[in-house]
Amino acid sequence: MKTPCGEGMFGSLIIVFPTRHDGGTLLLRDGGQEWSFDYGWELATAREPSIGYVAVLGDTEHEVTQVISGHRVTLTYNLYLDDWKPAPRQDPTSEYFTPLPNEGAFREGFEALLENSKFLPGGGMLGFGLRHKYPIKGNNIEHVYGLLTGTDAVVYRGARALGFEPKLYVLYEWRPPWMDLTEGGLIDRRIDFSRYLPGDMGVDITKIICRKGGIAVCQDPDSYRKEEGAYNKAEKVEWITPKTKFNDQKIAFITGCEWEERSDFVYGRLCLVVRIGKKGERLAYPAPGPTQQKRRWKGGRKSAASRLNARAVPFQLQILSLLQSRLL
């Protein structure tokens, strides 16, 4: 099971008392890996009575195996943030931070990629799916900067140490009814799309995001631009760590058309994005281009054949995988 995290809660502290027992092993799972803590065995081999404890982040899956004999006595405390100070975004070496073992390796790997002229030679956006769950208060996500932990903090601090400005975004992705491809938008806050009335083609998620200063994105720009109603300045995100569902925000909205309305849902996922400049000017952040604000829909859908012209870049995929391995 996973510990349910309410607002401000980020994990649990489990204290195991020195009562004799067999079984009752605590199993922890995260990212496809598993760890075990068998305090019954630790107690049996200890020279004097002692108390065991384990701190578990709220998004870590855990379970306890069956107690075979004796009694396993524990106390569990929910851990909350109380009057916390947001970590200063300006200073990645702040006293608030404790460096993690893989932090130096990640920064070195990132820097090596930036020096490689074959890595995103024209610049672009690197996306990092967050590996931990964070409480979202209303529509604001600014407070999450001060809560970043584990590899999420490694990415943020590593990028800042190299001179970049990593930003938290909510990524909304959807498939418009008039298109064969999925499009989306990045924006620095949560949006309640249920407040918007449908037009002649329902609620246009991406258009609303762009009007509020967000960025239209798609994963296959060549095929996307051939679709009727595509935005002419949509950008691509190169995902270093995959998008996760830990921080999904489910929002209802009205789709269809004004004479045949129906309810649908869109999910917003919290992620970290680093914009990098072209080769030789990596710190010259490319600003999002102006996005087309109107759609022209002629009806009909593109055939599947129009989507088969995506270009593979094996070398780029290889070095992206190298960067991802620094976070394991």
Side-chain angles (χ1 to χ4, degrees):
M1 68 175 181
K2 291 189 177 182
T3 303
C5 280
E7 186 169 318
M9 178 180 169
F10 65 90
S12 302
L13 173 64
I14 303 169
I15 297 178
V16 187
F17 286 92
T19 55
R20 295 282 181 178
H21 63 277
D22 291 322
T25 301
L26 177 64
L27 302 178
L28 306 174
R29 302 186 186 92
D30 184 63
Q33 296 180 300
E34 182 177 275
W35 300 266
S36 63
F37 176 54
D38 186 353
Y39 188 66
W41 181 86
E42 297 280 352
L43 179 63
T45 58
R47 295 184 178 180
E48 58 185 25
S50 57
I51 293 177
Y53 66 92
V54 179
V56 183
L57 289 173
D59 50 15
T60 301
E61 182 181 353
H62 61 277
E63 67 173 299
V64 178
T65 63
Q66 182 179 358
V67 176
I68 301 173
S69 64
H71 298 84
R72 180 180 184 270
V73 181
T74 65
L75 281 177
T76 300
Y77 294 90
N78 294 334
L79 303 178
Y80 292 85
L81 294 167
D82 182 24
D83 296 331
W84 56 272
K85 292 182 179 181
R89 296 173 58 183
Q90 300 85 353
D91 182 7
T93 61
S94 164
E95 62 180 352
Y96 290 93
F97 300 125
T98 301
L100 297 177
N102 58 347
E103 195 160 338
F106 171 78
R107 187 167 60 248
E108 292 172 5
F110 198 169
E111 191 170 20
L113 286 182
L114 296 171
E115 293 174 354
N116 194 317
S117 61
K118 295 183 179 180
F119 176 69
L120 293 180
M125 291 193 293
L126 301 182
F128 298 85
L130 298 184
R131 315 312 297 169
H132 298 283
K133 184 177 178 61
Y134 304 100
I136 304 297
K137 304 174 181 178
N139 295 333
N140 184 21
I141 64 172
E142 185 73 15
H143 65 284
V144 178
Y145 285 103
L147 305 180
L148 293 175
T149 187
T151 54
D152 299 336
V154 167
V155 173
Y156 179 77
R157 299 203 297 265
R160 283 202 60 85
L162 294 175
F164 294 97
E165 184 63 40
K167 289 197 63 175
L168 285 169
Y169 284 106
V170 180
L171 170 69
Y172 293 100
E173 290 184 302
W174 73 310
R175 175 168 291 186
W178 56 86
M179 296 180 69
D180 282 333
L181 295 178
T182 298
E183 67 179 18
L186 292 168
I187 192 164
D188 59 0
R189 57 192 177 280
R190 183 177 176 272
I191 298 179
D192 183 4
F193 295 103
S194 65
R195 300 174 54 188
Y196 294 88
L197 298 176
D200 57 356
M201 291 186 292
V203 173
D204 191 330
I205 302 298
T206 311
K207 185 176 182 178
I208 294 171
I209 291 173
C210 293
R211 283 181 172 176
K212 290 183 172 291
I215 307 168
V217 296
C218 63
Q219 288 307 108
D220 185 358
D222 290 338
S223 296
Y224 175 76
R225 293 188 187 102
K226 296 180 181 180
E227 292 276 341
E228 296 290 349
Y231 284 90
N232 61 2
K233 292 293 183 180
E235 300 188 47
K236 182 179 180 180
V237 181
E238 299 287 358
W239 290 101
I240 308 303
T241 53
K243 296 167 282 187
T244 57
K245 297 183 178 180
F246 300 145
N247 301 285
D248 274 4
Q249 302 292 306
K250 183 178 180 181
I251 302 174
F253 70 101
I254 302 298
T255 187
C257 55
E258 58 186 0
W259 58 85
E260 188 183 355
E261 296 180 2
R262 62 182 184 276
S263 296
D264 204 345
F265 297 93
V266 63
Y267 289 87
R269 294 180 177 179
L270 202 61
C271 60
L272 195 64
V273 172
V274 180
R275 297 183 67 87
I276 66 174
K278 62 183 180 180
K279 61 180 180 180
E281 300 178 18
R282 295 303 197 184
L283 293 180
Y285 312 126
T291 305
Q292 171 184 318
Q293 291 295 316
K294 294 183 179 179
R295 291 189 185 274
R296 291 181 297 174
W297 184 49
K298 299 178 181 178
R301 298 170 71 97
K302 293 285 185 179
S303 67
S306 67
R307 291 180 280 149
L308 300 180
N309 61 347
R311 294 175 295 174
V313 188
F315 180 79
Q316 181 169 303
L317 295 178
Q318 179 182 354
I319 53 184
L320 286 172
S321 298
L322 171 63
L323 181 54
Q324 181 177 354
S325 70
R326 302 292 184 180
L327 299 176
L328 297 179

